[in-house]
Amino acid sequence: SFPTRRSSDLATIIVALMECYGLKTLLEIGCGTGWVASYLPDWVLYRGVDKNLGCIAAALRRCPGKIFLYGDVRILEQYHPYPFDLVCGIGILKHFGLHEWQEIASKVFQWGRYGLFSVAAGPADVDTGTEYHHVFVSRQTFDAALAAAGKRIIESHDLWAPGTHGNELLYAIGPAE
């Protein structure tokens, strides 16, 4: 894999969010090959998790000073302490079927005091697959997962231009007040 401007841009956003709220610990779910982690400063206490062992091996080679773990977010809380100051998941929530999306999203949102997530958003809930899901969720579904987690949107940004079923949004979330 190769670095993208998106990786460095996301790391910049993560660091800005951490500095703004005085955060130190970061859990990245779906960390892939470690590109975002490679752009983070040393003061960030980072832990990355991915379900692909090949990605974990590549991440460990790329960022030998960072912690990368193999794991499935469906059962991760059984093995790792929570919460972190910030939990982020870029491009991961779209891979869970609609039958489990809201439960998983709500659980993952609770793993951090704050969060940063990309969400494939559309006017209606749409699942384009069965074995390999690509899910678009409505704002109503997203808001329900946030409410169940006791979180609120701090800010949001468009990541991708509108597609067939919707577009990808980047949400920064924090404690509900």
Side-chain angles (χ1 to χ4, degrees), residues 29-45:
I29 59 170
C31 64
T33 60
W35 280 112
V36 170
S38 73
Y39 290 102
L40 295 173
D42 290 339
W43 62 262
V44 173
L45 302 175

Side-chain angles (χ1 to χ4, degrees), residues 17-135:
L17 187 62
M18 293 183 82
E19 288 175 338
C20 181
Y21 292 99
L23 311 177
K24 299 287 183 211
T25 61
L26 168 63
L27 172 68
E28 182 183 15
I29 59 170
C31 64
T33 60
W35 280 112
V36 170
S38 73
Y39 290 102
L40 295 173
D42 290 339
W43 62 262
V44 173
L45 302 175
Y46 176 90
R47 182 170 292 170
V49 177
D50 204 289
K51 194 177 175 186
N52 183 313
L53 285 172
C55 286
I56 293 296
L60 287 166
R61 286 190 303 272
R62 177 167 290 114
C63 305
K66 304 262 192 249
I67 298 171
F68 295 95
L69 303 167
Y70 173 80
D72 185 328
V73 299
R74 291 175 185 91
I75 59 169
L76 200 60
E77 73 275 2
Q78 296 175 17
Y79 304 103
H80 302 289
Y82 298 102
F84 286 80
D85 291 333
L86 179 67
V87 61
C88 68
I90 307 302
I92 185 173
L93 292 176
K94 66 186 175 187
H95 296 301
F96 296 99
L98 286 175
H99 67 283
E100 62 183 349
W101 193 93
Q102 195 168 333
E103 178 184 350
I104 289 171
S106 175
K107 179 170 58 173
V108 168
F109 294 164
Q110 294 177 60
W111 291 347
R113 291 182 23 232
Y114 290 85
L116 187 69
F117 294 92
S118 66
V119 176
D125 295 339
V126 175
D127 189 340
T128 64
T130 52
E131 284 186 51
Y132 186 77
H133 298 275
H134 194 115
V135 171

